[in-house]
Amino acid sequence: MAQKHLTATWLSKVPKAEMPEKGKRKDYSDTTPNLYARVNDKGEVLFHFIARFGKKDPERRTLGPFDEKASELEARLRAEGHALPRPPVAMSLARARELAEEWAALVKMRIDPREHEARLAAAAAARSENSFEAVVEEYLKDIKTRDRNRHVDQDEREIRRELLQRVDKKTGKVVWRNAWAKKPVAAVTDKDIADLIAEIRDRPAAGMAYNTLGHVKAIFAWAMWPERRHGYDLKGNPIAHLQPKHFKLSKTVSKRVLTDDEIRAYWAAADATPYPLGAFYKLLMLTGQRKAEVSDMERPEISHNRKLWTVPEERFKSGQSHIVPLSDDAIALIGKLPTFDGEDSGDFLFSTTNGKKPINGFSRAKAALDEAMLAELKKLDPKAKLPEWVFHDVRRTVRTRLSGLRINSDVAELVIGHGKTGLRRVYDQHEFESEMREALDRWAAELKRIVSPMPPENVISIDRKTA
């Protein structure tokens, strides 16, 4: 066995003078203790580690074949913060020396490197099972079990689309995959996350970038819970120090309020939209409540005698029940809704499943509503446009109109469910039912005036000269 200070150049092309005879092999010991390079008659090199593993005679263990190109991969993996592959695997000379020193240290501590590698392999397998994608799937299952999670469907759609993969709706084909979704969650870095958020921002989609950053924060906060992080092998939270300001992002605060013409177009479009959506759109405008609160209404929540709707605490944002006095128009609308009978039925007012489930997934419905509203607007002005709006703007519109009707600000806030806060919430238990009823009755009358304006011929003109 020849001793030699091995070099990458020598290993890449072993000189003919030092090649073994045909059918033979030749070992060269490196200046690094315990490291040997075995060369065959074809010039192929295999690294070995030779030591006494608690036995009298030395024993040979294979590290892996020499590969001159492996150094590039190893350098890239180090730069990206990834763990290097463990033996037996193709490697550079530098990596072989590093492993030989590591194994020698283990032998001194009477630890068998073979057992050590087996433990590392088992841990790596466990980490691969706990990929970011797998953790996201567990997170999505968990959020569906939470109380008062009103946005779970929207959250799931955004998380899948922005953090896992994007699918073309027309073809059903995957058009984008997150490059690090399959990485062990413990190997996801702040750079991985930052690059993805910046990419979304620069689409440009600043609002979605803001939301996605919030989703990633929520996922890792959930994963870092003690009972989970040990199983995921998480040593720290990679997103802990990433803030929206680092990406020049801020929460978009909408101030959109529908005009009279847009309210008329909205109501006409709702009139032309069959159950359940048309009636849902109208009740949304009549009550000013949140989209999910209206879409998930159940018959037991309605008292026809008192003309009162009680949103139960498990469905209301603040975690306490909320009363909504119903105007005559709202009661009349509810009275015309279909009822569902039989064992295979439920109590949801707005449903396509015989009342068993409420309506959901409003993206297509909203697009159709926009198209119908624009058509109505163009009847008056062929050049009319419909600025972008969301269902929450209906709620803002109602609140703004209540102020226009000179409704007391506290009462108007209570109408839309912005309840009492602080000590007032504890000590003031008056529900202001009559005050809220008056407010919503006045709004119903104003809404009727907007959507059904009096024809000009019915307006009485006053001659100021003779008055």
Side-chain angles (χ1 to χ4, degrees):
M1 183 181 296
Q3 185 171 18
K4 185 178 184 66
H5 177 71
L6 300 175
T7 65
T9 302
W10 187 89
L11 292 168
S12 298
K13 191 173 183 180
V14 180
K16 288 185 178 180
E18 299 182 86
M19 285 279 288
E21 298 176 4
K22 189 174 181 180
K24 302 287 185 180
R25 295 175 297 185
K26 194 171 183 178
D27 288 332
Y28 289 90
S29 64
D30 186 40
T31 49
T32 301
N34 305 96
L35 179 62
Y36 296 82
R38 172 167 282 186
V39 182
N40 65 16
D41 59 356
K42 296 179 181 178
E44 298 168 337
V45 178
L46 187 65
F47 290 120
H48 290 279
F49 179 87
I50 301 178
R52 300 179 188 275
F53 303 96
K55 299 179 180 180
K56 292 182 179 179
D57 299 325
E59 184 179 344
R60 181 187 297 267
R61 300 280 178 85
T62 300
L63 292 174
F66 166 74
D67 184 351
E68 60 181 329
K69 296 181 180 179
S71 57
E72 299 174 7
L73 173 62
E74 291 163 3
R76 187 165 70 250
L77 290 174
R78 289 183 195 275
E80 294 175 357
H82 299 297
L84 297 184
R86 305 297 302 183
V89 66
M91 64 187 68
S92 67
L93 173 60
R95 176 62 174 157
R97 285 172 171 162
E98 180 180 61
L99 285 167
E101 291 175 356
E102 179 184 330
W103 281 22
L106 290 170
V107 171
K108 286 183 179 179
M109 293 186 288
R110 298 185 178 180
I111 298 174
D112 190 326
R114 182 178 291 165
E115 295 175 1
H116 175 71
E117 293 297 334
R119 285 193 293 271
L120 292 178
R127 285 195 300 273
S128 66
E129 290 178 2
N130 292 324
S131 65
F132 176 77
E133 183 177 39
V135 171
V136 166
E137 293 294 346
E138 291 184 23
Y139 171 79
L140 291 175
K141 288 180 183 178
D142 183 73
I143 63 174
K144 293 177 182 179
T145 66
R146 300 177 186 175
D147 293 335
R148 297 186 293 108
N149 187 352
R150 299 174 296 111
H151 304 294
V152 61
D153 293 334
Q154 179 182 339
D155 289 349
E156 180 172 7
R157 286 194 299 272
E158 290 182 359
I159 288 169
R160 290 192 183 282
R161 185 181 66 239
E162 304 299 336
L163 294 176
L164 299 182
Q165 63 181 27
R166 203 165 295 129
V167 178
D168 187 289
K169 292 182 178 179
K170 293 182 179 179
T171 64
K173 294 181 178 179
V174 176
V175 295
W176 171 86
R177 282 191 178 91
N178 181 357
W180 46 268
K182 297 290 185 182
K183 283 176 63 173
V185 68
V188 175
T189 66
D190 54 354
K191 185 177 185 304
D192 290 329
I193 299 166
D195 287 348
L196 179 61
I197 299 302
E199 180 185 332
I200 298 171
R201 178 200 62 198
D202 296 340
R203 278 202 314 242
M208 185 52 64
Y210 183 93
N211 290 348
T212 303
L213 182 62
H215 289 315
V216 181
K217 280 184 172 293
I219 290 166
F220 274 101
W222 175 86
M224 284 297 292
W225 191 252
E227 65 184 12
R228 301 187 189 100
R229 74 165 180 260
H230 294 296
Y232 296 149
D233 197 30
L234 277 170
K235 301 297 188 295
N237 187 341
I239 201 172
H241 301 295
L242 292 181
Q243 301 296 331
K245 64 182 180 181
H246 298 145
F247 303 93
K248 298 182 179 179
L249 297 173
S250 60
K251 186 175 183 179
T252 302
V253 179
S254 174
K255 296 182 180 179
R256 181 84 159 87
V257 173
L258 301 186
T259 66
D260 281 8
D261 286 343
E262 290 169 344
I263 291 174
R264 275 191 290 273
Y266 174 96
W267 199 264
D271 259 335
T273 304
Y275 171 86
L277 290 170
F280 162 72
Y281 297 151
K282 288 185 175 182
L283 198 60
L284 204 62
M285 183 67 79
L286 280 165
T287 63
Q289 303 309 301
R290 297 177 181 87
K291 180 179 70 176
E293 290 160 6
V294 177
S295 66
D296 291 9
M297 284 178 72
E298 297 187 59
R299 289 204 174 274
E301 298 172 3
I302 308 297
S303 171
H304 288 270
N305 292 336
R306 294 180 61 192
K307 295 195 297 185
L308 191 70
W309 167 30
T310 302
V311 185
E313 61 183 32
E314 61 268 18
R315 287 212 303 110
F316 196 64
K317 186 175 182 180
S318 66
Q320 61 180 9
S321 62
H322 170 58
I323 61 170
V324 184
L326 297 169
S327 64
D328 289 339
D329 288 344
I331 283 289
L333 186 153
I334 291 171
K336 293 178 182 178
L337 298 178
T339 56
F340 307 107
D341 301 314
E343 294 182 2
D344 193 32
S345 64
D347 290 321
F348 289 106
L349 269 70
F350 304 104
S351 175
T352 58
T353 57
N354 208 32
K356 292 175 64 178
K357 294 180 180 180
I359 53 176
N360 57 42
F362 294 96
S363 55
R364 291 184 182 179
K366 174 63 166 53
L369 179 61
D370 285 348
E371 186 177 343
M373 286 177 64
L374 183 57
E376 290 293 331
L377 291 170
K378 287 188 173 182
K379 288 179 181 180
L380 298 176
D381 178 6
K383 296 182 180 179
K385 294 182 179 180
L386 178 63
E388 185 177 343
W389 68 283
V390 296
F391 281 118
H392 199 78
D393 296 333
V394 173
R395 177 174 167 79
R396 186 179 299 103
T397 298
V398 173
R399 175 62 183 84
T400 302
R401 296 300 176 129
L402 289 177
S403 288
L405 294 171
R406 298 185 178 180
I407 301 298
N408 176 278
S409 180
D410 288 345
V411 173
E413 286 292 288
L414 288 169
V415 166
I416 64 169
H418 289 171
K420 308 161 195 166
T421 58
L423 289 176
R424 187 179 176 190
R425 180 175 177 177
V426 177
Y427 288 100
D428 185 356
Q429 295 300 309
H430 180 57
E431 292 187 317
F432 292 87
E433 180 181 336
S434 60
E435 292 89 343
M436 287 193 290
R437 183 175 301 283
E438 180 185 356
L440 285 169
D441 283 344
R442 287 170 66 178
W443 164 236
E446 176 68 5
L447 179 59
K448 187 177 292 184
R449 183 196 67 77
I450 294 171
V451 301
S452 303
M454 187 180 294
E457 59 270 18
N458 292 338
V459 177
I460 300 175
S461 61
I462 298 177
D463 189 338
R464 295 185 180 275
K465 293 181 180 180
T466 59

